[in-house]
Amino acid sequence: MPVSAAGSSPAPSSSVSAEGWMRRIEKVREDVRRQHAQRIGELSQALDEAWRMLDAVRPPGTDRAADTLRATHADLRKAR
């Protein structure tokens, strides 16, 4: 790490460089968060569609195994 002429503190360019790296890291974090949020939305839609199909094929009360799945996964299903 470069030091100033006094020899006791980092040179100003070092702190500027660190700030640049922090901005880049934060940008990557924001990008990853956005990508994860998008993927969660896609997976939630797919799960909702799967439950709609299961509900159509095995309506509540007609199949004990499907009803067990509904009860087990109630927290994953959107409120209807």
Side-chain angles (χ1 to χ4, degrees):
M1 174 183 300
V3 291
S4 66
S8 61
S9 64
S13 64
S14 178
S15 64
V16 170
S17 177
E19 289 172 11
W21 276 108
M22 291 305 294
R23 281 192 300 273
R24 288 192 273 294
I25 290 169
E26 192 55 38
K27 171 79 168 89
V28 170
R29 285 181 181 156
E30 290 171 11
D31 291 347
V32 169
R33 285 182 189 124
R34 186 177 56 255
Q35 291 168 359
H36 284 176
Q38 180 181 357
R39 188 67 176 142
I40 288 169
E42 293 167 355
L43 292 171
S44 294
Q45 284 182 315
L47 183 60
D48 289 342
E49 185 176 337
W51 277 110
R52 281 192 298 273
M53 292 174 71
L54 182 61
D55 289 343
V57 174
R58 301 279 192 259
T62 62
D63 185 310
R64 187 176 201 161
D67 288 342
T68 301
L69 282 173
R70 283 183 187 92
T72 304
H73 297 122
D75 61 326
L76 299 174
R77 301 182 73 186
K78 289 186 179 174
R80 301 196 192 311

